[in-house]
Amino acid sequence: MTFELADRVQAVPPSGIRRFFEIAEERDEVISLGVGEPDFSTPWAARDAAIASLEQGKTSYTANRGRADLRESIADYVADRFDLGYDPDEEIIVTAGASEAVDLAFRAFVDPGDTVAIAQPSYVSYEPGVVFAGGEPLPVPTHEEDDFRLTVDALEDAGAADADALVFCYPNNPTGAIMTRADLEPVAEFAREHDLLVFADEIYAELTYDGEHTSIATLPGMRERTVVFNGFSKAHAMTGLRLGYALGPADAIGAMNKIHQYTMLSAPTTAQYAALEALDSCANDVREMVDQYDRRRRFVLSRFREIGMDVFEARGAFYCFPEVPEGFTAEEFAEELLREQGVAVVPGDVFGEGGAGHLRISYATGLSELREALARIEAFVDDHEGPE
Ligand code: PMP
């Protein structure tokens, strides 16, 4: 082959989610509870702002770190919503999705051979991201009996005391777990004691249904060792506009900007106008979408319990993570459910250690579709119940 893949690219398997989408495409009338993106469209005010910016011909690059007015709005927003204090000039960078922010952080702070502990089950990009940066991922399985929260026991059992950095995401994709301030305190202490950098993916922060989201960066001694990722894809239903940001100490954000200015120049300009308006005038739209997700969450959890499938109480993001009934692996359940009933879900194994035996169910889908999907899941479980 003319193009011989770099070792670090060869080391990463293709995404495990893809295969299910391919089967889903072969069938008619598939209801997908597989994708992790809002079914809502971007609030109109944000779309209008993007359209107006195009009409006015505002299509040039912006400052590398993003428009100054947007960084100021982000600083006000995170201060107001999450009690996070960051200087818009030095401590915030606007990126092409939270995805770019995650990638920049790994490349800026991970040296070849460095170990990055990853709380799992987790969003699928961290492990490849660490490998692409030349580092060694260290999975840290979390457990259902801990409600999938990250604990010091889990960190110790995985050997994370010797790691260089730790990445985690709460509210969590794929489990829907959240971590309160009290849950985060021992993790923060562990990070300080073992001198770990912390990468906190808080992209689902707004989608917290039980209490308020707490960022680990607000805990004592954590701001100086933490980079927080967030963005507009989930809460503001802007996935395709590709806009996110990172918050961190000035030297950390400066290092990330050094890579960003050579590899990206600046985040998408049209999306920056949409985001500015989203922060300015769309708080009610966000609240309405969060209310809808919460209603769906309660419906889905109660239906799984009626069906007789164990499911822990997801309190954030737009996922729940039921256990597959005995007699199936998660992959078998997902594949047979898709073939027999036309419902697409994602087997938990895809999300790393701790995910086996579970399914990720996204409820970023309308209630009537959810109702039909759960009826089909019930029929599937009934069909397969009883003695073999
Ligand atoms: N982090 C998590 C936990 C996610 O679930 C996703 C999207 N599925 C991302 C980051 C990427 O978000 P963005 O669209 O902002 O790149």
Side-chain angles (χ1 to χ4, degrees):
M1 175 169 144
T2 314
F3 288 95
E4 202 173 303
L5 296 187
D7 291 344
R8 61 186 185 287
V9 179
Q10 255 175 44
V12 172
S15 165
I17 301 183
R18 261 296 15 117
R19 196 164 66 82
F20 285 87
F21 290 136
E22 280 158 19
I23 303 175
E25 274 162 22
E26 290 166 12
R27 280 196 48 129
D28 292 335
E29 294 185 5
V30 168
I31 300 179
S32 178
L33 309 182
V35 290
E37 76 175 324
D39 56 316
F40 300 109
S41 297
T42 307
W44 258 117
R47 279 190 267 169
D48 276 339
I51 293 165
S53 76
L54 288 172
E55 280 175 349
Q56 291 158 25
K58 293 178 175 168
T59 52
S60 317
Y61 296 129
T62 68
N64 292 132
R65 288 166 186 242
R67 287 183 58 86
D69 50 4
L70 175 57
R71 279 182 278 122
E72 272 166 32
S73 285
I74 291 170
D76 291 343
Y77 164 76
V78 297
D80 179 48
R81 290 291 293 125
F82 310 121
D83 205 18
L84 289 164
Y86 287 94
D87 173 44
D89 293 330
E90 305 258 339
E91 298 182 321
I92 297 177
I93 182 170
V94 178
T95 53
S99 302
E100 194 213 349
V102 173
D103 181 54
L104 291 176
F106 290 155
R107 284 195 289 150
F109 308 114
V110 177
D111 268 322
D114 280 357
T115 301
V116 180
I118 304 175
Q120 291 188 346
S122 75
Y123 176 50
V124 295
S125 291
Y126 309 134
E127 206 166 310
V130 168
V131 173
F132 292 146
E136 313 262 345
L138 175 72
V140 179
T142 62
H143 306 288
E144 182 151 13
E145 57 267 29
D146 299 320
D147 281 352
F148 290 110
R149 288 170 295 194
L150 178 59
T151 63
V152 167
D153 280 350
L155 287 161
E156 275 169 356
D157 289 350
D162 297 325
D164 300 284
L166 165 66
V167 57
F168 60 80
C169 168
Y170 290 96
N172 182 263
N173 174 6
T175 62
I178 61 170
M179 283 183 68
T180 63
R181 189 177 186 86
D183 297 329
L184 288 166
E185 269 162 4
V187 173
E189 193 180 326
F190 184 91
R192 290 192 302 267
E193 191 181 328
H194 300 288
D195 197 21
L196 303 182
L197 291 182
V198 172
F199 302 130
D201 185 343
E202 300 185 3
I203 194 156
Y204 294 101
E206 285 278 6
L207 280 61
T208 300
Y209 309 108
D210 192 358
E212 291 289 318
H213 172 74
T214 302
S215 173
I216 196 166
T218 60
L219 271 56
M222 292 309 293
R223 189 187 192 282
E224 54 266 42
R225 60 174 66 252
T226 303
V227 176
V228 175
F229 311 121
N230 206 331
F232 296 87
S233 285
K234 311 293 174 174
H236 297 90
M238 283 175 44
T239 46
L241 290 170
R242 310 304 307 124
L243 211 69
Y245 51 92
L247 315 168
D251 52 352
I253 296 300
M256 289 166 66
N257 187 44
K258 191 168 177 183
I259 303 174
H260 171 82
Q261 71 190 0
Y262 287 116
T263 54
M264 190 65 65
L265 280 90
S266 59
T269 299
T270 313
Q272 293 192 46
Y273 284 102
L276 190 58
E277 186 63 32
L279 292 181
D280 208 31
S281 73
C282 297
N284 280 341
D285 301 82
V286 172
R287 218 162 300 139
E288 272 167 32
M289 290 189 274
V290 173
D291 278 353
Q292 297 266 359
Y293 290 135
D294 190 20
R295 219 165 296 151
R296 298 165 182 188
R297 172 184 73 102
R298 283 181 275 129
F299 170 74
V300 170
L301 289 174
S302 74
R303 281 294 280 128
F304 272 116
R305 287 174 184 142
E306 269 170 30
I307 292 168
M309 283 172 72
D310 286 331
V311 60
F312 105 102
E313 187 79 19
R315 293 190 168 87
F318 39 53
Y319 309 103
C320 67
F321 208 57
E323 274 179 53
V324 292
E326 263 176 54
F328 290 99
T329 64
E331 193 154 336
E332 285 162 359
F333 187 98
E335 196 160 336
E336 289 176 37
L337 176 68
L338 179 54
R339 290 197 194 283
E340 291 177 25
Q341 294 285 348
V343 178
V345 300
V346 184
D349 317 60
V350 163
F351 304 97
E353 292 193 15
H358 291 80
L359 306 168
R360 187 187 77 172
I361 306 290
S362 163
Y363 50 84
T365 303
L367 256 182
S368 59
E369 274 192 303
L370 283 173
R371 231 173 245 125
E372 170 64 20
L374 268 298
R376 293 188 195 180
I377 292 172
E378 184 164 36
F380 179 82
V381 170
D382 286 349
D383 283 352
H384 291 267
E385 229 168 26
E388 293 284 289

